[in-house]
Amino acid sequence: MPLVTTRKMFADAYAGGYAIGAFNVNNMEIIQGIVQAGQKLNAPLILQVSKGARAYANHTYLVKLVEAAEATTGLPIALHLDHGPDFETCKSCIDGGFTSVMIDGSHHPYETNVELTKKVVDYAHSKGVTVEGELGQLAGVEDDVNVSEHSYTQPDQVEDFVGRTGVDSLAIAIGTSHGAFKFKPGQKPQLRFDILAEVSRRLPEFPIVLHGASSVVPEFVAEINQYGGAMDDAIGIPEEMLREAAKSAVCKINIDSDLRLAMTAAIRKYMALNPSHFDPRQYLAPARDAIQKMVEHKIETVLGCAGKA
Ligand code: G3H
Ligand code: 13P
Ligand code: ZN
């Protein structure tokens, strides 16, 4: 099958009480590790590309790699733009083979966010592409935007936003954040499930998205530290909280940092144990295997989407 939009994936996920993993991709090994896990567990996948990924790897390379992933597995795969910063970037992705885009107007004033998001939705829908919008801001860094404090989604805005823009899904801020340092040392991880519940009450059967949802898997952090890294204070979202979210209206869970940690841990370990090796395939193969293992773990314990392809 060709690359798919998120429409059926989200309808099935909402009805089935599970979520689809949206994994950030930047190169071939990351894509292969993710789709090997999807294939083994027969899971639908969203492969997402940030502005930074497009700048690093080139739009066309990433599209062709994701098309190859679909062609070799036959899995339902959506190719999604993560944190689209403006209309032009979204248009370029829509015209260039993406099946889904996010327009992230969350840092703009509300009315500007509505106007920008609607412009992207009108264009995307005319081309059969689905759109994710965002209300509220996560703490942390994403591409060029650095936010120090959460600005939680205001539930009383969501019906107006979705109604006026026509978005297909909505990312909300309930206390997750981007990166590997999501809470201060000693701080108890907490999410605002009350906001999620109120948003879903106001938007019946509407797919909600969680960004910043890596758990910062301790096994990989320990390995990074064991082989010369310095990530003692890394802390993520507890997996049981994400599993709870996946059973509710949350249909898409974004994971990037956990992929980075898995890959970096494997490469650090390989390099430390094999100091004379210099063939990139020797350290990228275990890195790819580590990504596969991590994604399998997410599908089985957090997302609940095994067997749903
Ligand atoms: O939300 C941001 C994602 O983790 C992508 O990160 O902009 O460094 O590619 P990036
Ligand atoms: P993490 O940094 O928690 O993996 O979040 C990734 C993300 O939200 C991409 O949009
Ligand atoms: Zn994000």
Side-chain angles (χ1 to χ4, degrees), residues 136-147:
Q137 272 187 283
L138 279 61
V141 185
E142 82 219 10
D143 278 328
D144 307 332
V145 184
N146 188 350
V147 182

Side-chain angles (χ1 to χ4, degrees), residues 97-120:
F98 283 49
T99 54
S100 176
V101 294
M102 174 188 192
I103 174 67
D104 184 356
S106 60
H107 49 285
H108 292 302
Y110 180 75
E111 285 300 326
T112 313
N113 189 4
V114 169
E115 200 180 314
L116 175 62
T117 304
K118 180 167 170 31
K119 188 174 173 190
V120 172

Side-chain angles (χ1 to χ4, degrees), residues 24 48 82-83 102 104 132 134 138 141-142 171 177-179 209-213 252 254-256:
N24 285 74
Q48 58 185 11
D82 189 28
H83 293 286
M102 174 188 192
D104 184 356
E132 173 185 326
E134 179 163 354
L138 279 61
V141 185
E142 82 219 10
S177 56
H178 292 108
V209 177
L210 282 191
H211 282 247
K252 173 173 179 273
N254 283 14
I255 297 166
D256 186 4

Side-chain angles (χ1 to χ4, degrees), residues 48-77:
Q48 58 185 11
V49 169
S50 68
K51 176 182 159 196
R54 281 178 97 222
Y56 171 77
N58 177 296
H59 173 100
T60 307
Y61 275 81
L62 291 170
V63 171
K64 297 295 175 196
L65 284 169
V66 172
E67 285 174 355
E70 188 285 318
T72 53
T73 62
L75 285 173
I77 296 176

